[in-house]
Amino acid sequence: MSNYQYRCAVCGITWDEVTNKRQAERECDRHRHEAHDGGVPDGDGIQARDSKPGPGRGVLVAGLLLILFLIYSSRHGQ
């Protein structure tokens, strides 16, 4: 399940996470109306955030290297 955040890059503001995309869209619409006269600022958007983060890039790279090493070792008799 994902949470959502609205971010306005022009204003440098990220709103608190909400549980559904429609809530984030309401924050977005309200901010665009109040701060930007209804316009869409560059960099404006809604970001989906996974509620359970996965392993970091380093862990994934280390796992891949380990798998490659094991394949190499098994083919070369070590």
Side-chain angles (χ1 to χ4, degrees), residues 14-72:
T14 301
W15 277 251
D16 291 336
E17 288 186 8
V18 293
T19 56
N20 66 60
K21 191 171 183 179
R22 185 62 200 133
Q23 288 174 300
E25 289 169 347
R26 281 194 294 268
E27 302 260 348
C28 173
D29 293 341
R30 181 176 29 241
H31 176 71
R32 286 176 179 173
H33 176 73
E34 292 174 1
H36 303 290
D37 294 325
V40 179
D42 292 342
D44 172 283
I46 294 174
Q47 306 165 348
R49 302 271 187 197
D50 290 333
S51 55
K52 294 182 181 178
R57 183 178 290 167
V59 173
L60 295 175
V61 170
L64 177 61
L65 290 175
L66 177 62
I67 291 169
L68 292 173
F69 174 75
L70 292 172
I71 291 170
Y72 177 82

